[in-house]
Amino acid sequence: MLDHPKDVAFSTVAKISESAGVTPSTLIRLANTFDFSGFSEMQGLFRARLVDELPNYTERIRAVRSATGETPGSTQLLWEFADANRAALEQLPGRIDSGTLEQALNIFEEARAIHVMGARRSFVVASYMTYALHHIDKRAFLINGLGGMYGEQVKSIGDNDALMVISFSPYAEETRKLAAAARERNIPLVVITDSNVSPLAQLADVYFVVQEAEVKGFRGLAASLCLAQTLAIALGVRHELTSAMPINR
């Protein structure tokens, strides 16, 4: 397994056991020995590390084809991505604590403005969140580092503002630095990440752990976008309720 991490990451248990000259149950028992729920969970470690090391999508596609010997068609990929994202969305509500949702909304509601950052893959979620906040009339600013000005954009965060950060393994360095700088200034920080031991989670006032779908080493964003949409619309509902309350004279 250590000598052939690419094969372990993407091949089936049957193929791996055949190459290793053991039975599939041997691999399953090996995984259980290390307290994994099954071989697929242990296999996820190999897959995650390989995906993080590969520089681009082209290399990832080559890795999958090399390990599995398969060239999936477009329809097959569509079904696989749809099924995987459907499963991730179905699991999302059960993974998110209602109290944590309310804490995040309290931070956003009290903030004069919300600054949002997500680098690389996470940028999609950050840009949508900023878009949605604008449409519920909440002041929002996307930290995009245009011109390499991450530091200047961080300095523009006011003491009465809040910061939302989205980051997944391997956790972009610029995102980690920004979150740490915000923590030093005691700026309220809400994080969407993929692990309880994420370095961003350790800095956050409130954090959400989202398990995204993964197909052949390619991870989705459907669950994170759903959570971002929920936070934005729930904040808008709060705003409407507050505005509709009668003023006591």
Side-chain angles (χ1 to χ4, degrees):
M1 292 176 69
L2 294 176
D3 289 340
H4 306 281
K6 187 184 300 183
D7 294 335
V8 175
F10 297 112
S11 294
T12 63
V13 175
K15 288 183 178 180
I16 297 170
S17 61
E18 181 181 354
S19 299
V22 298
T23 64
S25 60
T26 300
L27 296 179
I28 295 171
R29 289 196 300 272
L30 175 65
N32 292 336
T33 299
F34 291 106
D35 292 327
F36 291 104
S37 60
F39 182 77
S40 60
E41 184 180 357
M42 183 170 71
Q43 187 181 34
L45 294 180
F46 288 81
R47 186 173 298 161
R49 181 171 181 177
L50 180 62
V51 167
D52 291 341
E53 290 177 350
L54 294 176
N56 54 49
Y57 277 17
T58 300
E59 290 298 322
R60 296 183 189 185
I61 292 170
R62 287 173 181 167
V64 172
R65 291 183 61 190
S66 173
T68 65
E70 298 177 354
T71 303
S74 56
T75 302
Q76 177 187 340
L77 286 172
L78 177 60
W79 276 104
E80 289 184 9
F81 278 112
D83 286 343
N85 280 289
R86 185 184 302 113
L89 287 170
E90 288 176 350
Q91 295 171 9
L92 179 64
R95 294 178 181 272
I96 302 299
D97 178 70
S98 59
T100 305
L101 273 174
E102 295 303 314
Q103 290 176 32
L105 291 171
N106 289 340
I107 290 174
F108 290 159
E109 188 174 31
E110 295 171 5
R112 181 187 63 87
I114 301 172
H115 301 255
V116 189
M117 180 181 180
R120 301 181 178 83
R121 182 169 68 103
S122 307
F123 182 78
V124 175
V125 184
S127 59
Y128 170 77
M129 184 66 179
T130 308
Y131 164 85
L133 290 172
H134 283 306
H135 279 270
I136 62 167
D137 296 326
K138 184 71 179 184
R139 293 188 67 192
F141 301 92
L142 177 64
I143 299 176
N144 53 21
L146 187 63
M149 294 189 294
Y150 281 114
E152 288 80 359
Q153 289 180 320
V154 173
K155 291 179 181 178
S156 70
I157 302 176
D159 294 337
N160 296 319
D161 295 349
L163 173 64
M164 179 177 180
V165 165
I166 305 99
S167 186
F168 309 108
S169 178
Y171 314 111
E173 182 180 357
E174 55 266 44
T175 305
R176 297 171 66 170
K177 288 182 177 178
L178 182 143
R183 181 74 284 165
E184 289 179 1
R185 292 178 53 194
N186 294 318
I187 294 170
L189 176 62
V190 176
V191 168
I192 295 178
T193 189
D194 56 2
S195 171
N196 285 307
V197 295
S198 160
L200 282 304
Q202 312 307 312
L203 298 170
D205 292 278
V206 177
Y207 70 91
F208 300 94
V209 174
V210 176
Q211 298 298 323
E212 289 288 3
E214 182 178 322
V215 176
K216 294 179 171 59
F218 296 92
R219 291 168 288 185
L221 286 170
S224 298
L225 283 167
C226 181
L227 177 58
Q229 185 175 40
T230 299
L231 288 167
I233 303 306
L235 185 63
V237 170
R238 278 195 179 194
H239 177 71
E240 285 299 311
L241 290 175
T242 302
S243 301
M245 291 178 61
I247 300 176
N248 295 323
R249 296 183 181 276

